[in-house]
């Protein structure tokens, strides 16, 4: 969740006007019971289950069964699944099914978690929704139709598009900038139709409701009490509930003596809210964090209160009822208003008050952010590798059900960490450790599975090496042919390397930066889509080297003496060029800093330099605004904290590495920052284009001193006008012009960079691609700064109470790729290069021994290749056992045998994503037609395919989403004609994401 930091209650009810729509009759209040349950945050999932989460479902189900008028919504599926699988009795399960059938219990959102919207990747958002929706549909035949995104720290424009694709009819958010929300309340603009994608427009629009400034919690303000208003069940006790079952009380019980005061407080709040909305329907959330773990007490107090208000409805001009989200949105939809349209702009960044810009979490716990994306990439590769293993039939000794269990374990772990207090870095240390443990365990299982497939072994080799060498399999998880440099860490410098046919391979050896006694073996690999390359790496022993086999050349290292930060040369610039077909990088020998980059195709040179700086954060709430794991509130502009920089160049035939080391003082032995820049010496041919056009940079930051926030600032002579572009979730770009805020302007001009950002002028664009989320900003013309790491401690009581101070002493290791060139080139390269960074080839290796027989090379099935505009977003065997026919599935649920049926290993989930916006590129932005039978023929003969909703639960031929009347007439691309029945040829339009079930012979 995070601190609510509510605005003070507004006290000018009589000054607020009523709308014409509301004056015609009584206000209809939909009291929506809910419990916000963070999957993590302060306490671990297990602690939360023990303290309150299990009791929420147990007591709510019991209370709903006792009262036909009562309602409740369920949001996070991780907690519900744990309760369903490990706590619920058969009687309770029967009651849940009955309540669902009656519409009195409703699943909203339906994902494993309520995911963050700022720093999560599109693919991982879809995964966690798919996991939750698959469980709900398989278990109940339920398909959520409304979102409940009440707590993420800002709202992305990707989210409405995804939720529309998932079949949702309406979208609900809460946390947006306080100034903006106040303005929307004043103009009754909290509800609108959001067209999140500029390419898709009305094709995937969704009605959106922004909660007013009271947010998702029941107002705690009450005129006659300083207690907590409408929360009667107490405060959850951690880690175990109290032995006597009596929780600390929060609210004064409703009695005949005070019921009129309670009613007056509720009605006054409702009438205040009614001035902010255009219809006479008010959504009144009842609940908050960890509420309803004793639902009996809650309903026992609210029941008579609602009855009292309805008995006096003529006096109050208000009627009240318990409701689900469906009840509320159906009433608003039936009112048949005409709604304004919001375009594709997001609601980021989020500020809750002056000096409270929630932009610090973009970079909090960078290590967890990196691990989460690494796990996601490994899962992506493992999914397609397992799908290939099963088609046309399993071709090894691995048990498919065991493999599916490994995939499911990592699916859960990656889904869990998308929670808005997980990947954001806003959780306590023990909860962070829980996420890391789950991710690492899941990754280990997938690593074992992939090794079993690629190497026909149960596990990969350990870290101890043996002198003979290695056998390596390299898997390309993307559906394109890629050329890249693969790095293996080996124990010896004298090696030769051959491919599957015994031919030598382009490679180089150099000293490793990871271990002093190890070496990095760089291999140039061209690998078709969803295919392997196999290599043998053998140790050559001096005179025993086979003269027929070429020894891999050793790169030469050139060291440059450290230079002071303010050093200026008296002799003029001495520039050292590092060149390939696409770029010439010039480094200043007198400063050991990058000086400029020449883009060789256009012969245009851009002055570029890079350095590390730190913002000093205030840690004392008595001294002013503080930075914490949520907030960024710098005292002043960033300052350099290094005094000298050393440099070395590692030059080989395949690549040159430039290693810069930043020291606090020139006499220090240990550096505090490092940049390792790599330029590959390859050609700008079509097969090597992506590798030639990128400048790879690895960063090492820390450990930081206390209350420091470290950035990498790239300074160029581009006339960018302080306009930055950064992405929403790796899906689409947002323009971020610098805004001259009166308060906290530095922090409020920070934005999330999940996968890419760029600045540009009329000649060149400088693109940054990231493998994890960061904060990014352009504070000056031609500048872009990336926040890489944070270490904070403060005395804010809230943070101290819950151990939420971010005293992160780790060393952060992150990576960016830089692209530079004309807009036409970088536009075409950016989406595919971002995916190449996210989904680098997976390397599996094992040791070779002298006694080992000649290796039986693993089967390398036919490549899967898609057009360059299309990304294979997922190729997976989910294992769902539900019937694809909805009526048949519901019948099976009613008559099916007890217990869970065997997983279906025949159904394959395929999702395709068009990477380009409409009009973005003359060629790549065109609609793409592809014959799936041809594209997937390497997996076998496709016998059936059907289009599904984003998460797979709806047949697209039967999905009918609600239509909302709007003021605008902007249209996206023409609605494409339906593919002819039985045809395997599909067309994907710009930015479309299309999902299919595919069945093979």
């Amino acid at each position: 969740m995070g601190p609510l930091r509510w605005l003070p209650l507004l006290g000018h009810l009589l000054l607020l006007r009523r709308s014409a729509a509301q004056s015609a009759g009584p206000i209809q209040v939909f009291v929506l019971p809910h419990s916000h349950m963070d999957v993590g945050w302060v306490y671990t999932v297990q602690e939360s289950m023990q303290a309150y989460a299990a009791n929420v479902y147990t007591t709510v189900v019991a209370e709903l069964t006792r009262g036909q008028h009562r309602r409740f919504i369920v949001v996070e599926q991780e907690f519900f699944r744990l309760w369903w699988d490990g706590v619920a009795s058969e009687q309770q399960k029967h009651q849940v099914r009955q309540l669902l059938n009656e519409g009195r219990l409703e699943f909203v959102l339906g994902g494993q978690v309520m995911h963050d919207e700022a720093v999560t990747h599109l693919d991982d958002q879809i995964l966690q929704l798919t996991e939750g929706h698959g469980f709900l549909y398989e278990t109940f035949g339920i398909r959520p139709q409304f979102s409940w995104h009440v707590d993420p720290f800002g709202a992305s424009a990707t989210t409405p598009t995804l939720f529309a694709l998932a079949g949702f009819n309406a979208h609900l958010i809460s946390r947006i900038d306080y100034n903006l929300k106040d303005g929307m309340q004043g103009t009754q603009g909290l509800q609108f139709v959001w067209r999140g994608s500029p390419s898709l427009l009305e094709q995937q629009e969704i009605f959106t409701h922004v909660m007013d400034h009271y947010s998702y919690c029941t107002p705690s303000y009450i005129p006659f009490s300083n207690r907590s208003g409408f929360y009667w069940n107490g405060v959850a006790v951690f880690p175990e509930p109290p032995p006597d079952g009596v929780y600390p009380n929060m609210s004064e019980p409703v009695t005949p003596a005070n019921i009129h005061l309670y009613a007056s407080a509720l009605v006054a709040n409702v009438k205040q809210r009614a001035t902010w909305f255009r219809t006479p329907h008010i959504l009144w959330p009842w609940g908050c964090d960890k509420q309803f773990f004793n639902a009996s007490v809650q309903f026992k107090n609210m029941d008579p209160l609602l009855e009292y208000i309805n008995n006096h409805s003529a006096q109050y001009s208000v009627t009240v009822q318990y409701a689900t989200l469906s009840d509320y949105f159906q009433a608003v939809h039936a009112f048949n208003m005409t709604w304004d349209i919001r375009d594709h702009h997001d609601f980021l960044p989020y500020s809750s008050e002056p000096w409270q810009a929630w932009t610090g979490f973009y970079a909090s716990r960078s290590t967890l952010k990196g691990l989460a994306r690494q796990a996601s990439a490994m899962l992506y590769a493992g999914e397609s590798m397992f799908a290939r293993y099963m088609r046309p039939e399993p071709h090894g000794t691995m048990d498919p059900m065991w493999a599916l269990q490994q995939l499911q374990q990592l699916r859960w772990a990656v889904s869990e960490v998308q929670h808005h207090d997980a990947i954001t870095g806003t959780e306590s240390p023990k909860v962070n450790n829980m996420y890391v443990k789950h991710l690492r365990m899941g990754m280990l299982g997938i690593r074992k599975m992939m090794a079993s497939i690629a190497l026909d072994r149960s596990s990969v080799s350990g870290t101890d090496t043996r002198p003979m060498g290695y056998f390596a399999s390299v898997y390309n998880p993307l559906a394109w042919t890629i050329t890249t440099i693969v790095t293996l860490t080996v124990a010896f410098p004298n090696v030769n390397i051959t491919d599957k046919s015994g031919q030598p391979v382009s490679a180089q050896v150099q000293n490793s930066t990871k271990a002093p006694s190890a070496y990095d073996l760089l291999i140039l690999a061209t690998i078709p889509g969803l295919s392997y390359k196999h290599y043998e790496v053998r140790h050559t022993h001096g005179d025993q080297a086979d003269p027929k086999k070429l020894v891999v050349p050793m790169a030469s290292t050139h060291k440059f003496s450290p230079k002071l930060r303010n050093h200026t040369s008296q002799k003029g610039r001495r520039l050292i060029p590092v060149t390939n077909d696409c770029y010439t990088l010039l480094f200043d020998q007198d400063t050991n800093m990058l000086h400029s980059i020449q883009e060789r195709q256009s012969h245009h040179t851009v002055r570029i330099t890079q350095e590390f700086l730190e913002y000093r954060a205030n840690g004392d709430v008595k001294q002013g605004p503080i930075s914490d794991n949520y907030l960024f509130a710098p005292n002043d502009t960033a300052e350099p904290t290094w005094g000298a920089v050393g440099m070395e160049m590692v030059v080989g035939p395949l690549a040159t590495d430039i290693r810069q080391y930043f020291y606090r003082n020139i006499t220090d032995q240990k550096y505090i920052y490092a940049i390792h820049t790599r330029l590959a010496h390859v050609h700008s041919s079509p097969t090597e284009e992506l590798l030639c056009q990128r400048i790879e940079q690895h960063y090492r930051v820390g450990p930081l001193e206390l209350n420091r926030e470290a950035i990498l600032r790239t300074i160029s002579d581009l006339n960018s006008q302080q306009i930055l572009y950064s992405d929403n979730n790796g899906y689409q770009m947002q323009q971020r012009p610098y805004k001259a805020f009166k308060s906290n302007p530095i922090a409020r001009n920070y934005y999330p960079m999940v996968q890419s950002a760029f600045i540009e002028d009329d000649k060149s664009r400088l693109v940054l691609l990231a493998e994890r989320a960061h904060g990014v900003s352009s504070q000056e013309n031609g500048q872009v700064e990336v926040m890489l790491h944070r270490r904070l401690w403060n005395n804010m009581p809230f943070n101290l109470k819950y151990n939420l101070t971010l005293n992160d002493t780790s060393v952060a290791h992150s990576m960016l790729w830089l692209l530079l060139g004309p807009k036409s080139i970088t536009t075409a390269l950016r989406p595919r290069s971002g995916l190449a960074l996210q989904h680098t080839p997976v390397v599996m290796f094992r040791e070779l021994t002298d006694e080992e027989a000649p290796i039986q090379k693993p089967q390398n099935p036919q490549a899967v290749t898609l057009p360059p505009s299309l990304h294979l977003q997922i190729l997976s065997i989910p294992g769902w056992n539900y019937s694809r026919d909805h009526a048949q599935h519901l019948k099976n649920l009613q008559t099916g045998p007890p217990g869970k049926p065997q997983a279906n290993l025949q159904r394959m989930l395929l999702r395709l994503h068009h990477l380009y916006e409409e009009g973005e590129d003359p060629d790549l932005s065109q609609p793409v037609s592809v014959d799936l039978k041809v594209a997937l023929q390497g997996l076998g003969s496709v016998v059936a395919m059907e289009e599904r909703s984003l998460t797979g639960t709806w047949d697209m031929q039967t999905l009918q989403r609600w239509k909302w009347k709007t003021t605008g007439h902007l249209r996206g691309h023409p609605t494409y004609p339906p593919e002819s029945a039985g045809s395997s040829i599909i067309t994907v339009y710009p930015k479309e994401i299309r999902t299919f079930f595919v069945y093979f012979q």
Side-chain angles (χ1 to χ4, degrees), residues 355-643:
W355 294 100
Q356 292 198 351
W358 295 42
T359 59
F361 78 90
Y362 300 159
S364 295
R365 298 200 189 280
S366 177
T367 299
L368 178 65
K369 286 177 167 64
L371 181 65
R373 292 279 285 276
Q374 292 165 19
S376 172
M378 179 172 285
L379 176 62
Y380 175 79
E383 295 278 15
S384 64
M385 188 181 286
F386 177 61
R388 301 230 65 178
Y389 174 82
M390 294 298 296
R391 304 251 45 99
E393 59 183 2
H395 48 264
T397 59
M398 184 183 69
D399 177 10
M401 293 308 299
W402 171 84
L404 185 60
Q405 290 173 356
Q406 309 313 304
L407 289 166
Q408 289 172 337
Q409 182 181 25
L410 189 53
R411 289 171 191 164
W412 268 51
V414 173
S415 296
E416 176 185 74
V417 81
Q418 307 312 314
H419 168 58
H420 58 268
D421 275 305
I423 196 170
T424 53
T426 54
E427 69 277 5
S428 67
K430 68 177 177 181
V431 175
N432 175 75
N433 293 340
M434 177 196 73
Y435 296 133
V436 169
K437 177 183 177 182
H438 292 173
L439 289 169
R440 292 200 182 281
M441 288 177 60
M443 293 171 72
L444 179 62
I446 296 299
R447 174 68 69 173
K448 290 180 178 179
M449 182 202 77
M450 298 173 81
S452 298
I453 295 173
L455 306 175
D456 199 24
R457 296 289 175 95
S458 60
S459 65
V460 295
S461 66
T463 56
D464 294 335
T465 58
R466 293 166 63 179
M468 195 59 204
Y470 309 94
F471 174 72
S473 289
V474 183
Y475 178 68
N476 170 22
L478 294 170
W480 309 305
T481 298
I482 62 165
T483 297
T484 190
I485 292 176
V486 176
T487 302
L488 301 178
T489 301
V490 297
F492 33 77
N494 301 317
V495 300
N496 61 55
I497 177 170
T498 55
D499 61 15
K500 184 177 179 180
S501 60
Q503 296 300 309
V505 176
S506 296
Q508 76 183 49
V509 175
Q510 59 193 44
N511 292 327
S512 175
T513 57
K514 298 177 181 178
S517 59
Y519 299 88
D520 288 339
L521 172 62
L522 279 56
I523 306 166
L524 185 65
T526 299
I527 315 172
L530 272 58
S531 300
Y532 302 89
K533 276 295 181 69
H534 307 291
Y535 302 98
E536 288 185 17
V537 180
R538 294 189 176 269
H539 187 188
T540 60
H541 298 277
D543 296 337
Q544 300 176 5
D546 187 341
K548 297 180 182 179
K549 296 182 177 179
L550 297 176
V551 177
V552 174
M554 184 77 178
S556 58
T557 301
H558 308 275
K559 294 189 176 183
F560 301 84
S561 59
K563 299 296 190 301
L564 290 170
R565 179 166 60 86
N566 295 320
H567 175 79
T568 56
S569 172
Q570 303 300 318
K571 305 177 181 178
R573 298 288 183 188
R574 295 185 295 165
L575 302 180
I576 306 170
V578 180
T579 299
N580 69 1
D581 272 14
C582 297
Y583 299 115
T584 295
L585 277 59
L586 294 167
F587 287 84
D588 190 334
Q589 190 173 341
D590 295 313
T591 63
N592 287 341
M593 301 286 279
L594 178 65
H595 175 271
S596 55
I597 301 175
Q598 182 188 75
E599 200 277 314
R600 299 189 68 189
Q601 180 172 329
S602 65
H603 301 290
H604 181 60
T605 299
V606 178
R607 285 291 304 271
I608 291 181
T609 188
Q610 295 177 302
E611 64 172 337
F612 295 100
L613 303 96
E614 292 178 1
Y615 288 102
R616 295 175 181 255
N618 171 41
D620 186 351
V621 293
K622 296 180 181 179
Q623 302 300 317
I626 56 99
S627 281
D628 64 11
N629 50 8
Y630 302 90
L631 308 178
F632 177 35
N635 284 352
D636 208 339
T637 57
E639 298 291 340
T641 56
W642 54 276

Side-chain angles (χ1 to χ4, degrees), residues 107-330:
F107 290 105
V108 296
L109 185 60
Q112 282 288 90
V113 300
M114 185 186 298
H115 65 253
D116 172 68
E117 298 191 40
V119 298
T120 48
H121 193 276
L122 168 81
D123 296 350
D124 302 323
Q125 295 178 358
I126 296 172
L127 169 72
Q128 76 88 19
L129 281 174
T130 301
E131 282 296 289
H133 288 192
F135 163 76
L136 288 176
Y137 190 63
E138 193 170 65
T139 309
F140 306 112
I142 291 291
R143 298 175 289 203
Q145 297 182 47
F146 307 98
S147 89
W148 179 258
H149 249 223
V150 296
D151 203 26
F153 319 138
S156 164
T158 302
T159 312
T161 300
L162 291 189
F163 288 173
L165 287 165
F168 288 7
N169 288 312
H171 177 37
L172 185 146
I173 63 177
S174 181
R175 292 187 185 267
I176 66 172
D177 183 89
Y178 71 100
N179 274 334
L180 180 59
K181 181 175 284 193
D182 283 350
M184 294 169 74
Q185 286 180 176
T187 59
Q188 295 183 332
L190 292 172
Q191 294 170 316
F192 47 85
V193 171
W194 197 353
R195 293 178 175 172
S197 166
S199 294
L200 301 178
L201 293 178
E202 88 283 358
Q203 183 186 347
Q204 300 301 343
E205 69 186 14
I206 195 167
F207 180 80
T208 302
H209 172 105
V210 183
M211 285 185 153
D212 57 50
H213 78 254
Y214 289 109
S215 189
Y216 63 86
C217 289
T218 310
S220 59
Y221 173 83
I222 193 164
F224 61 94
S225 172
N226 61 359
R227 300 167 79 179
S228 296
F230 301 88
Y231 307 139
W232 292 284
N233 61 184
V235 180
V237 178
F238 287 87
E240 298 282 353
D244 60 0
V246 179
Y247 291 80
N249 189 33
M250 294 179 73
S251 300
E252 183 175 332
V254 174
T255 66
N258 66 21
I259 193 167
H260 67 288
L261 297 175
Y262 264 114
S264 297
L266 195 156
V267 168
N269 179 258
V270 164
K271 289 186 174 180
Q272 181 186 25
R273 293 179 173 203
T275 63
W276 300 332
F277 293 93
R278 296 178 60 199
T279 76
H281 311 99
I282 298 304
L283 179 65
W284 202 81
W286 176 35
C288 196
D289 292 41
K290 302 179 282 292
Q291 288 295 301
F292 283 89
F293 54 81
N294 190 343
S296 173
V297 177
Q298 289 282 76
F299 282 111
K300 185 173 69 173
N301 283 276
M302 186 62 87
D303 281 354
L305 179 56
L306 298 193
E307 183 180 6
Y308 181 90
I309 294 173
N310 285 333
N311 288 338
H312 297 78
S313 61
Q315 171 188 342
Y316 290 129
S317 298
V318 166
T319 64
V320 291
Q321 67 183 77
Y322 290 125
T324 64
L325 202 54
S326 176
D327 295 329
Y328 172 72
F329 278 126
Q330 283 180 357

Side-chain angles (χ1 to χ4, degrees), residues 5 28 39 126 318 346 395 411 585 598 643 667 675 751 843 845 859 920 955 993:
R5 299 183 168 103
Q28 190 175 0
V39 182
I126 296 172
V318 166
D346 60 17
H395 48 264
R411 289 171 191 164
L585 277 59
Q598 182 188 75
T667 56
I675 304 177
Y751 297 91
V843 180
F845 65 95
Q859 177 182 344
E920 188 175 22
D955 184 335
I993 300 173

Side-chain angles (χ1 to χ4, degrees), residues 610-683:
Q610 295 177 302
E611 64 172 337
F612 295 100
L613 303 96
E614 292 178 1
Y615 288 102
R616 295 175 181 255
N618 171 41
D620 186 351
V621 293
K622 296 180 181 179
Q623 302 300 317
I626 56 99
S627 281
D628 64 11
N629 50 8
Y630 302 90
L631 308 178
F632 177 35
N635 284 352
D636 208 339
T637 57
E639 298 291 340
T641 56
W642 54 276
V645 58
M647 183 172 67
E648 62 183 22
M649 290 189 176
V650 182
V651 183
L654 195 57
T656 292
D657 285 1
I658 305 97
R659 301 170 181 173
Q660 297 164 282
Y661 304 98
F662 294 77
Y663 302 87
R664 293 199 187 277
N665 298 291
I666 198 167
T667 56
D668 287 352
Q669 297 299 309
K670 293 184 178 180
Y671 53 88
I672 55 171
Y673 303 105
I675 304 177
H676 293 172
T677 303
R678 173 171 293 174
L679 192 68
H681 301 310
V682 294
H683 303 294

Side-chain angles (χ1 to χ4, degrees), residues 798-992:
F798 180 90
N799 288 340
L800 293 175
K801 179 180 178 180
Y802 295 114
N803 194 18
L804 291 176
T805 56
L806 191 69
N807 191 13
D808 187 347
T809 60
S810 67
V811 175
H813 298 269
S814 58
M815 176 165 44
L816 295 176
W817 287 359
L818 276 56
L819 313 178
L820 179 66
K823 295 179 186 179
S824 58
I825 294 177
T826 54
T827 295
L829 290 172
R830 182 187 56 79
R832 301 182 76 220
S833 297
L835 287 166
L837 173 56
Q838 179 69 26
H839 298 296
T840 57
V842 179
V843 180
M844 295 146 289
F845 65 95
R846 61 180 176 86
E847 297 168 354
L848 297 175
T849 62
D850 287 322
E851 298 81 12
E852 189 165 352
I855 293 172
Q856 298 296 317
K857 303 299 190 299
Q859 177 182 344
N860 197 6
Q862 183 176 340
V864 174
T865 304
L866 292 176
S869 299
L870 284 190
H871 169 44
L872 182 69
Q873 198 169 32
I874 194 66
L875 181 67
S876 169
I877 299 177
W880 296 322
N881 56 58
Y882 60 75
S883 172
R884 65 193 188 190
D885 179 88
H886 183 60
Q888 182 62 48
H889 175 54
L890 294 181
K891 182 178 179 180
N892 293 344
L893 286 174
Q894 295 172 355
T895 62
K900 192 171 183 178
Q902 184 77 5
N904 182 350
L905 299 179
Q906 305 308 311
R907 176 186 298 154
M908 200 167 291
L909 180 70
L910 170 72
R911 191 178 292 119
L912 300 177
H913 172 200
H914 196 302
L915 294 172
Y916 293 86
E917 296 281 3
E918 190 172 61
E920 188 175 22
D921 183 274
D923 298 318
L924 296 169
S925 292
Q926 296 301 313
V928 179
S929 296
V930 60
D931 189 333
L932 291 182
K933 283 188 175 181
V934 175
L936 302 177
Q937 61 187 354
L939 282 74
S941 298
V942 174
V943 295
M945 51 176 278
E946 61 187 69
E947 186 160 11
R948 308 290 293 192
S949 60
L950 183 72
T951 58
T953 55
W954 287 92
D955 184 335
M956 288 298 286
Q957 292 186 353
T958 64
L959 175 60
Q960 298 292 327
R961 295 176 57 239
W962 294 356
K963 300 294 184 183
W964 298 79
K965 290 171 62 176
T966 60
T967 56
H969 302 286
L970 292 174
R971 306 195 65 82
H973 61 71
T975 301
Y976 53 84
E979 282 93 12
S980 57
S983 173
S984 60
I985 300 175
I986 64 165
T987 300
V988 189
Y989 284 79
K991 298 311 291 185
E992 277 194 329

